[in-house]
Each structure stands twice: as C-alpha cells, then as structure tokens.
C-alpha cells in the first residue's frame, strides 16, 4: 500500500512564475493538508481539503491556492513566486485509527517537494 | 493561538546515552500530540501519537509522555544509536484541521 506520494521531488522556478505541486493521499484517506517548511524551521500549515473544499486556511496569502479532486488527490498552486517561497512543501493525509468506540486520527506525511525560487 | 516550543534546539550525545527531548505548548485544550522524525531534506515519519486522554505511548526504545495541564510532552529515547540522528518534531492538534509544530530538536548521536 503506497503511502502519501508527492510530485515532483525537486523544482526550480524563477521569481514571478507559477508552480503546481501534486499530492496523492494514502489509500483510504480522504483529507489532505499542505504545509510549508522553511529551512531550519518547523512546518507551517497552509490549508486543508476535504470533500473537494478548502476547510481551513493558515496565514498564507491568496497567491497560495489549492484543489482536491474526486479521487482525493490534491494540488497546491503558488502564483507570482517570491524568493521567500523557497521551501520544502509537505502534504499530509488524515489517518483515522479505529479503536472501537473511540476512534481517533493522526497524520501521515509525504516526502515533500523541494521548491527553489531563483 | 497555539504556540509550540521545543528545547533544546540541538543536542549532541555519545552513543548509548538515554536522552529526553522536550515540547511545551500554550493551549492545553488539545485533541492529540504527535512526535515525528525528519531526516535531512526528507519528509516526516510519525513516531508516536498520544491522545489527550492518554499519559504516555511507547514504541520500542521510544517513550512519549503527555501532561496536558502543564502543557508539556517529552520524548524519551533509550540507548541512543547513530541511526537515531535526525530532527525530532513535536506537533499539537487542537481538534481543528491543522497541526501546530515546534521548531524541532536536531539530534546527533556520535559513535
């Protein structure tokens, strides 16, 4: 069973360009979140998609947008790239754990896409 | 707004030592807390997940504890090995749709 898969693994773009990153959640996971991780820092939440709608958004400008498809895969789009957008972009899917009467969930992360803006 | 802090930011120990990584959070109304490992340039690997109703979780040489009232969690690594060298991240889930991460602890275990 494949885990969370992200593509591409690395990407180099020029300032002002647009980029699209892709994520396929683990089989059976229907909720996808995106995070940005700058070098030496913890990941920062961008947004989460469930049932093809954005459910919550972190403190990121409108240049960051997303989409979720009926098969639960997702895209992250960033317009008008800035040098400061250079980071590792991580995708996570919500992993429900069934423990009888009290199910709970955690998150499973992909390997990320390293975006470099020059 | 939830804030998560991890201390120390970096740690270097000789092989075989037992060690403790600390995580503190400001809002104790959490749903659960997850510890992750990250190797350089790679994604996150989940190590342990502790529900708000639990006090600790164990997996192999790893033990994570949770004290909600004081806003703290610790990750205990027994008999450290060079292969444990990585960044360890603590993430708090406040039952919304997002995880709030600490800045991580960079661990180096020397042979």
């Amino acid at each position: 069973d494949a885990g969370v898969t992200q593509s591409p693994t690395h990407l180099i773009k020029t300032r002002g360009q647009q980029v699209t990153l892709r994520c396929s959640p683990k089989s059976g996971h229907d909720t996808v979140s995106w995070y940005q991780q700058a070098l030496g820092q913890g990941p920062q939440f961008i947004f989460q998609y469930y049932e093809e709608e954005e459910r919550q958004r972190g403190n990121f400008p409108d240049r960051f947008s997303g989409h979720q498809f009926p098969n639960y895969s997702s895209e992250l789009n960033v317009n008008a790239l800035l040098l400061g957008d250079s980071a590792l972009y991580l995708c996570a899917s919500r992993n429900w754990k069934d423990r009888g009467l009290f199910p709970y969930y955690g998150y499973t992360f992909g390997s990320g896409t390293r975006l470099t803006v020059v | 707004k939830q804030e998560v802090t991890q201390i120390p930011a970096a740690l270097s120990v000789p092989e075989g030592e037992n060690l403790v990584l600390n995580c503190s959070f400001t809002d104790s109304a959490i749903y659960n807390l997850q510890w992750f490992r990250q190797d350089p340039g790679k994604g996150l690997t989940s190590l342990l997940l502790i529900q708000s109703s639990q006090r600790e979780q164990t997996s192999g040489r790893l033990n994570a504890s949770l004290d909600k009232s004081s806003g703290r969690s610790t990750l205990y690594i027994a008999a450290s090995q060079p292969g444990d060298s990585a960044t360890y991240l603590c993430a708090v889930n406040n039952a919304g749709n997002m995880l709030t991460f600490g800045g991580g602890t960079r661990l180096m275990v020397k042979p």
Side-chain angles (χ1 to χ4, degrees):
Chain A
D1 176 27
V4 178
T5 58
Q6 293 188 241
S7 63
T9 55
H10 296 85
L11 203 53
I12 300 175
K13 289 287 190 178
T14 304
R15 274 182 303 174
Q17 285 189 316
Q18 179 264 345
V19 69
T20 297
L21 311 182
R22 296 176 175 82
C23 171
S24 292
K26 192 171 180 178
S27 178
H29 295 186
D30 57 8
T31 303
V32 173
S33 304
W34 287 92
Y35 289 79
Q36 180 195 65
Q37 185 179 25
L39 199 61
Q41 299 182 19
Q44 299 289 318
F45 175 77
I46 303 175
F47 41 54
Q48 184 181 84
Y49 277 84
Y50 172 66
E51 292 185 334
E52 302 179 46
E53 290 188 13
E54 182 181 297
R55 298 294 176 167
Q56 187 171 349
R57 187 180 186 92
N59 188 26
F60 280 80
D62 292 344
R63 297 187 297 108
F64 290 76
S65 63
H67 188 78
Q68 185 179 35
F69 299 93
N71 66 353
Y72 308 130
S73 66
S74 176
E75 289 182 348
L76 165 65
N77 301 293
V78 187
N79 295 322
L81 284 167
L82 304 173
L83 295 179
D85 295 331
S86 295
L88 180 66
Y89 288 84
L90 296 162
C91 171
S93 63
R94 191 159 63 185
N95 177 19
W96 282 99
K97 298 179 184 297
D98 184 2
R99 298 187 72 185
L101 292 177
F102 304 100
Y104 62 97
Y105 64 85
Y107 287 92
T108 301
F109 281 76
S111 298
T113 294
R114 170 71 63 186
L115 172 65
T116 302
V117 182
V118 297
Chain B
K1 176 188 172 187
Q2 179 71 271
E3 294 182 1
V4 181
T5 303
Q6 291 188 245
I7 295 173
L11 186 61
S12 181
V13 299
E15 182 177 5
E17 276 204 4
N18 301 324
L19 49 99
V20 175
L21 309 182
N22 297 293
C23 171
S24 62
F25 46 94
T26 55
D27 182 353
S28 62
I30 70 170
Y31 177 69
N32 61 33
L33 183 148
Q34 210 165 345
W35 281 93
F36 293 92
R37 169 185 171 139
Q38 185 174 35
D39 293 293
K42 304 296 185 183
L44 307 184
T45 300
S46 181
L47 298 173
L48 290 164
L49 171 68
I50 311 177
Q51 285 298 97
S52 62
S53 57
Q54 298 174 326
R55 297 285 296 194
E56 65 178 343
Q57 282 287 333
T58 298
S59 176
R61 295 182 293 108
L62 304 179
N63 175 276
S65 67
L66 174 64
D67 184 342
K68 260 196 343 175
S69 61
S70 66
R72 295 182 180 182
S73 177
T74 61
L75 179 66
Y76 176 83
I77 303 177
S80 58
Q81 304 170 357
D84 295 330
S85 299
T87 295
Y88 290 81
L89 292 157
C90 162
V92 174
N93 182 349
N94 282 97
N97 295 316
M98 61 181 280
L99 295 177
T100 303
F101 283 85
T105 295
R106 293 187 310 280
L107 173 65
M108 172 71 73
V109 180
K110 301 175 183 177

